[in-house]
Structures are given as structure tokens and as C-alpha cells.
Amino acid sequence: MAAFYGQKLLLRLQACQLAHLRRAFLASAPEDCKQVLGRNEPRKKRGKEKNLKQQRGSLDLDSSWEKRLSSVVTPLCGLPYEEQLKVKYEKLKSILQTVTARLKELGADHLETTQMPDGICCPLKPLIPSPIVNGYRNKSTFSVNHGPDGNPKTVGLYVGTGKGRNIVCVRANHLLNIPQGHFQVAQCYEELLHQSPLDPCLLFHTGGHWRELIVRTNRKGDTMAVVTFHPQHLNPEELSLQKELVKDFFAHGPGTVCGLSSLYFQESVMTRCSHKQSPYQLLSGEPHIFEELLGLKFRISPDSFFQINTAGAEVLYQAIGEMSRADKSTVLLDVCCGTGAIGLSLADRVSRVIGIEVADQAVEDARWNAAFNGELNPPNTAAVITSSLHENLL
């Protein structure tokens, strides 16, 4: 997220207390945001939302599993892309109208809403289409659990929730937003699990080992795969054997069709483990994949954040540069900067870029990217090399 400081923005932030802003945002946020942000809201309110979700879930009991998964992961896929953009635009406008009304109720009457169309507190420009609509994801995370047929070694995405105890893992090879290469790695991983005598780890306290699979790709066709494995009570020799089996499967067995450029193994005892908590172990191939974006080259590690839609990110960063009106007097603060893509893509416009990131591998990647692109583009050297990336600064 990139932030440009201006007097007008600071005055608006000072107009309301943070607690008021939080309540205003929660009142208008989509349901999936409320699940995370609204945990401290009154229980009665959350109970109503829970009942509504249960009613929605019961409507599709007779749908095929593929359709049910599509409705969860890509709910607008049945509409032409132009119609999808209209739906998203109207949803954003509705959210802003609700936020504006709540801010007025909280005493922020001086917001210049009278000059804005549709009674919203800030301009809402038309949505910019993505250059690529299908198969655009450069990262996919596949889970392991019981499939529709009850097979506990099914690799796919979830329908249902753990809290509702109704999770079903559905193979995702019909989804339009995931490239075929990701499906191929997932199918091979499922074959590996079927060959293994070890059980999948569905719940940590019930044992089992095989967990999720992460697949990352770039536009050149390089593919990185990360196999997540719960060690349970295996000794070092037994763990080494499992790593060799995974490596051999993708290097010499059925997994060779995936053509992996990087294969990692992570011993994970939690739902999500960072590289610092449990290091990613390179089994074969290159330690990184690289992506080019707006004439810059970016190094990407297993644990680093990079925009899911690379072509869409190029459009996004160009729009940020135009709308920000940044110039050589601007200091750009790139919060949660990941590999530094936003800051570095705008570095030639500003006097300095400061990146903030907590993931160790992302910090290392961002520093490498700043140094490499500074050497690659001499006219931008001063702006890029002065980039300062800080670890664990919130």
C-alpha cells in the first residue's frame, strides 16, 4: 500500500477519532472483511450475520461441487467482464455512501460531500479493466482435506468452514482465474499423497503430515512449488526420507511434467508459518523466481508478497503514479511493501522511497530489487538506492 502525505488528507484523518472511523468502516465493509475486522463487535450483531450466512449456504445444497466452489471463489464469473466491473463499481459506491452517512452521524459535517456526485466523501473514478481476465493469478494455495467423495487426500480449495464443520475440499481445475500450470502441480501433488503411506494433516491434534501446497509462477513460465508438511513425531532421518521422496517425485517421477524451476519443503506446525518461524528448505532448483514489471526486475522468494495479477499490477501502479501527483519533493511511504514493487516503480518520480515490511524474505528481496534496479536504470539510481526498507517496523 502506498501512502502520499498531504495537508488535506491529514485534516480529514484528524476530523474523526480512530474508533469512530473503525465503526464507520465496519458498518459498510463487505462480509468477508467483517469476519476479520468485526471480531470485537457485539455478539448479538455477529449472531445475525452468522444466521444470514447459514441461510445463504443452504440455498445451493443441490448445486454441483464445482459450481459451489466457483460461487465462493469467483462469485461474478457467470457475468460478462463488463458487467462484473459495473457490479463492483456500484458496490464501491454503496460502501462510500454508507461511510459518508456514518461519518456525518459522528460529527464530521465539514466533509466536502456536497460537491461530490451521489453523496460520497471522495471521488470514485471508473474502474480500470485488467489487461488479463482469465488465468491471471501468479500464486495459488491449495489445501488438503476430504473431497466430495470422502477422500482425505484431495487437493483443492474449500467449500464450507472449519467452524461450521462442513468443509469439503474441491479440485479447482475449472476455476477461470487460476492458470492451468497451477492445476497441474496440484494434481501431481495429489498423486504424490496417494502414493505415500503417511496420512494428511487435517487437524493438528489428530496427527497426519501432508498439508497445503503453494504454487508461484511468472510470465516467463518459471514455476515454484512449496510443499508444507507437519513433522509430528518423525525423527530427522525419517524427515530426510520424506524430503527425498518429494524431490524424486518431481525430479524423476510423475511430477516431472510440472517442469518446476524451484521446489521447497517447509516443516510447519502452525496454520501459517513464516520463513523465520520455520525456514523454507530448497530441495531442488533455483532459490527465487523473477518477474519483470514496468521495466523493472523483481526477485521473489517463497514468503514474499507480490501482486497476484502482474499485468493488473502494472495498470494499478501507473494509476497510482498519475493520481498521486508525486514529484521530486515527495517522500513515498510504501507500507507492507513486500518486494518493494510499488515504491520502486514510482521511485523515479519522487525524492525518496521508504518501505516498511515485517517478512524477512520480503525485506531481503526488496533490498536486492532496489540495488539491482538502481544499477540497471542509472537515471533512477538516486531515487532507488535511497530506498530504506525496515524490518519489524509497524
Side-chain angles (χ1 to χ4, degrees):
M1 177 174 65
F4 293 87
Y5 289 103
Q7 186 177 7
K8 194 171 183 179
L9 172 63
L10 291 176
L11 288 174
R12 289 191 176 189
L13 289 176
Q14 292 168 359
C16 297
Q17 297 180 6
L18 290 178
H20 289 169
L21 286 172
R22 180 177 181 274
R23 289 199 299 271
F25 177 77
L26 278 173
S28 58
E31 294 298 325
D32 54 347
C33 294
K34 290 180 181 178
Q35 291 176 18
V36 177
L37 297 173
R39 285 173 183 159
N40 295 323
E41 295 299 300
R43 288 184 176 273
K44 193 176 292 184
K45 193 171 185 179
R46 290 189 313 209
K48 291 181 179 179
E49 294 172 357
K50 178 180 177 181
N51 292 336
L52 181 60
K53 290 176 186 176
Q54 289 175 343
Q55 291 172 10
R56 288 174 179 169
S58 64
L59 296 177
D60 294 326
L61 291 178
D62 295 330
S63 301
S64 71
W65 288 106
E66 289 188 353
K67 288 182 179 179
R68 293 177 67 180
L69 182 61
S70 294
S71 68
V72 172
V73 180
T74 54
L76 301 181
C77 66
L79 298 175
Y81 186 56
E82 293 75 14
E83 292 298 318
Q84 294 181 31
L85 294 179
K86 291 179 182 178
V87 171
K88 292 176 181 179
Y89 182 87
E90 291 301 320
K91 181 62 176 178
L92 287 172
K93 186 171 72 173
S94 175
I95 290 173
L96 287 174
Q97 288 171 336
T98 304
V99 169
T100 302
R102 291 302 178 110
L103 288 174
K104 286 183 177 180
E105 292 174 6
L106 296 171
D109 295 326
H110 61 282
L111 288 176
E112 300 173 3
T113 56
T114 55
Q115 300 178 8
M116 302 295 178
D118 302 314
I120 56 179
C121 56
C122 63
L124 179 59
K125 296 189 175 183
L127 299 187
I128 304 174
S130 170
I132 299 176
V133 178
N134 295 327
Y136 59 81
R137 293 188 65 92
N138 55 41
K139 179 183 178 182
S140 300
T141 301
F142 298 96
S143 300
V144 179
N145 214 306
H146 293 279
D149 60 355
N151 185 346
K153 292 185 175 181
T154 301
V155 177
L157 303 179
Y158 284 167
V159 171
T161 65
K163 190 174 183 180
R165 298 183 180 181
N166 59 351
I167 284 179
V168 176
C169 191
V170 182
R171 295 184 185 91
N173 54 5
H174 63 288
L175 296 180
L176 299 178
N177 62 336
I178 301 178
Q180 288 299 315
H182 293 204
F183 299 138
Q184 186 175 52
V185 181
Q187 289 169 353
C188 286
Y189 183 53
E190 183 171 316
E191 184 175 350
L192 169 65
L193 267 56
H194 289 164
Q195 293 181 7
S196 171
L198 300 181
D199 293 329
C201 179
L202 307 183
L203 296 172
F204 294 152
H205 66 278
T206 59
H209 301 277
W210 300 109
R211 298 192 56 227
E212 67 185 21
L213 168 75
I214 300 172
V215 183
R216 304 190 79 148
T217 50
N218 60 14
R219 289 189 283 194
K220 288 176 58 180
D222 298 324
T223 302
M224 173 188 291
V226 182
V227 171
T228 312
F229 186 90
H230 197 306
Q232 299 293 356
H233 302 296
L234 297 182
N235 59 43
E237 292 76 16
E238 291 170 326
L239 275 172
S240 295
L241 174 61
Q242 295 306 314
K243 295 174 194 175
E244 285 300 318
L245 291 174
V246 171
K247 178 180 177 180
D248 184 70
F249 179 88
F250 283 101
H252 307 291
T256 54
V257 297
C258 300
L260 298 182
S261 55
S262 304
L263 176 60
Y264 276 92
F265 187 92
Q266 187 186 36
E267 300 169 25
S268 176
V269 297
M270 296 186 294
T271 302
R272 287 284 187 275
C273 280
S274 66
H275 176 69
K276 187 174 183 178
Q277 294 167 322
S278 181
Y280 291 91
Q281 304 169 48
L282 182 64
L283 299 184
S284 63
E286 301 296 324
H288 311 96
I289 58 174
F290 295 84
E291 186 60 275
E292 293 187 5
L293 187 149
L294 296 176
L296 302 175
K297 186 175 183 178
F298 293 93
R299 189 182 84 175
I300 305 171
S301 297
D303 202 27
S304 297
F305 172 79
F306 195 81
Q307 289 288 347
I308 289 295
N309 184 340
T310 305
E314 290 183 315
V315 176
L316 173 64
Y317 299 165
Q318 288 174 329
I320 291 173
E322 293 168 3
M323 295 177 65
S324 68
R325 300 179 183 176
D327 55 30
K328 290 301 181 182
S329 65
T330 303
V331 175
L332 170 60
L333 179 62
D334 191 352
V335 182
C336 302
C337 66
T339 57
I342 297 181
L344 295 178
S345 66
L346 302 177
D348 60 340
R349 298 172 180 254
V350 301
S351 63
R352 191 183 182 200
V353 177
I354 300 176
I356 299 177
E357 176 58 56
V358 297
D360 294 343
Q361 285 195 327
V363 172
E364 294 173 7
D365 287 342
R367 286 178 173 151
W368 186 95
N369 293 335
F372 178 85
N373 289 293
E375 296 173 1
L376 187 66
N377 301 295
N380 302 343
T381 300
V384 176
I385 295 303
T386 56
S387 300
S388 176
L389 294 125
H390 301 282
E391 179 184 355
N392 297 328
L393 176 60
L394 298 176

